[in-house]
Amino acid sequence: MEQTEYHNPVLLKQTVDGLAIKSDGVYVDVTFGGGGHSREILKRLGPDGKLFAFDQDKDALDNAIDDERFTLINENFRFIKRFLRFHGVKKVDGILGDFGVSSHQFDVAERGFSTRFEADLDMRMNQSGALSAFEVVNKYDEAGLRKMFLGYGELRNAPKLARAIVGARKENPIKTSSELKEVLSPFLPKHKEHKILAQIYQAIRIEVNQEIDALKEFLMQTVELLEKDGRISLISYHSLEDRLVKRFIRSGMFEGEPEKDMYGNVSVPFKKVGKLIVPEQEEIKENNRARSAKLRIAERV
């Protein structure tokens, strides 16, 4: 397995297989990270192939690959079309996305992504971004916090969590992971503490990085970017992402259903390729973070 200290790529072979790579094709890895998926794509490209990669985290730039066929773009994938055009690219043959947080981001304590470490509330994937977890926790009103915990954390006790935070920060700002945990401790029963805390962190992280909006904007752009028969190969890690990807592949929309023509036919941009793919137990044993991964592949029609 192509493994780096920065990130252990999930479903490596299956995800790259899903792109059905042509040796002279143009491909995009929108979540470069440690570069594991990108290196596998480059192995399968010929001398005339091209690979563009995106990562908004400047730490990922240290993993750039020295290969004339490769270009790394330090931007959020929500701007995929704009930055590919800057490089003279209007159409591509395949796009790979491995969403969620990289192992590196989880493992560097001061980034504030992990519930395991004492750290300042941060959680920014783009470290120059204006909005941090501190801003969300200390500046959002009760209604905003409640909406975030319910929508992005799927937490049924969202109103109580929001109320507790607003009450506590009147005394002092909530600055660190341990302070946040202490404020919310009445809602963290011992047998479920890790699970609930993970949902709380997920909700804040998605809000800080606008992950759902970015994913929607990215998916909409794939329709115009992909050549006919071009592929998307996308890994999701939580139900919010996976529902969006699944629905978009099925209907080209995030809500509602596509309109039918006078003959009752619908026109959708993608057709599903194969079934949902999840990691084997062996991979999960090697890399516990793979346990919730879901891979969906589709082809532009």
Side-chain angles (χ1 to χ4, degrees):
M1 179 179 286
E2 182 82 49
Q3 187 168 348
T4 68
E5 284 182 26
Y6 188 99
H7 185 67
N8 186 357
V10 173
L11 292 166
L12 179 65
K13 182 178 184 300
Q14 299 94 319
T15 311
V16 180
D17 283 352
L19 293 174
I21 286 174
K22 304 170 186 170
S23 69
D24 61 348
V26 179
Y27 294 88
V28 190
D29 175 357
V30 297
T31 49
F32 177 70
H37 288 113
S38 282
R39 285 182 177 83
E40 184 62 28
I41 291 169
L42 286 167
K43 280 181 191 170
R44 304 186 193 193
L45 280 176
D48 297 324
K50 293 273 184 238
L51 173 62
F52 294 87
F54 283 74
D55 204 301
Q56 64 182 322
D57 189 341
K58 63 179 175 53
D59 286 359
L61 300 181
D62 294 337
N63 304 316
I65 302 163
D66 184 14
D67 189 312
E68 61 186 17
R69 301 167 299 167
F70 175 77
T71 304
L72 178 56
I73 300 166
N74 184 204
E75 289 290 345
N76 190 309
F77 57 66
R78 73 195 304 171
F79 306 121
I80 182 172
K81 198 162 75 172
R82 181 196 306 177
F83 283 93
L84 287 179
R85 285 212 166 151
F86 176 77
H87 287 277
V89 175
K90 290 184 178 177
K91 290 283 186 183
V92 302
D93 297 291
I95 301 171
L96 182 150
D98 177 8
F99 307 120
V101 184
S102 75
S103 302
H104 170 77
Q105 288 166 332
F106 270 128
D107 291 341
V108 175
E110 59 267 27
R111 300 293 296 271
F113 284 102
S114 176
T115 58
R116 292 177 292 146
F117 305 119
E118 165 65 351
D120 289 341
L121 294 176
D122 192 338
M123 302 195 202
R124 291 171 299 169
M125 291 181 177
N126 177 350
Q127 290 171 274
S128 59
L131 187 64
S132 71
F134 176 85
E135 304 292 328
V136 169
V137 169
N138 289 284
K139 303 285 173 66
Y140 275 33
D141 64 16
E142 190 173 323
L145 290 169
R146 185 171 62 239
K147 184 181 176 189
M148 175 186 75
F149 287 132
L150 192 61
Y152 296 157
E154 301 180 288
L155 289 148
R156 282 181 291 183
N157 61 349
K160 291 178 180 176
L161 298 173
R163 204 172 307 127
I165 287 172
V166 171
R169 73 191 190 195
K170 283 177 184 169
E171 303 296 319
N172 290 296
I174 302 166
K175 295 179 181 176
T176 66
S177 52
S178 61
E179 288 172 8
L180 179 62
K181 188 175 173 181
E182 191 179 329
V183 168
L184 299 178
S185 59
F187 314 104
L188 302 172
K190 274 283 175 267
H191 64 293
K192 281 187 177 175
E193 180 182 300
H194 183 72
K195 181 177 185 291
I196 295 171
L197 211 50
Q199 288 172 274
I200 289 166
Y201 267 53
Q202 173 182 295
I204 298 170
R205 192 199 80 225
I206 289 172
E207 180 65 29
V208 166
N209 297 289
Q210 299 181 304
E211 290 175 39
I212 299 301
D213 290 341
L215 179 58
K216 285 180 175 179
E217 288 174 29
F218 157 71
L219 288 170
M220 293 298 288
Q221 292 172 77
T222 62
V223 176
E224 192 180 328
L225 276 170
L226 279 166
E227 298 276 13
K228 186 179 182 302
D229 301 330
R231 297 273 187 96
I232 49 174
S233 191
L234 307 175
I235 304 173
S236 306
Y237 291 87
H238 57 76
S239 58
L240 300 175
E241 283 175 344
D242 188 53
R243 279 199 294 267
L244 284 177
V245 171
K246 181 181 178 182
R247 181 176 276 267
F248 187 74
I249 287 172
R250 193 184 74 215
S251 66
M253 302 167 72
F254 303 115
E255 294 174 6
E257 294 299 329
E259 290 182 17
K260 295 181 178 178
D261 65 18
M262 58 189 291
Y263 303 107
N265 300 315
V266 294
S267 176
V268 295
F270 288 99
K271 68 175 181 187
K272 188 172 73 165
V273 174
K275 293 181 176 177
L276 173 71
I277 298 171
V278 296
E280 303 278 348
Q281 279 307 312
E282 189 180 335
E283 180 171 358
I284 294 169
K285 203 155 58 177
E286 276 183 34
N287 178 11
N288 189 45
R289 288 180 184 140
R291 68 190 182 283
S292 53
K294 291 179 175 176
L295 169 63
R296 297 184 187 275
I297 301 161
E299 188 172 283
R300 185 76 173 91
V301 293

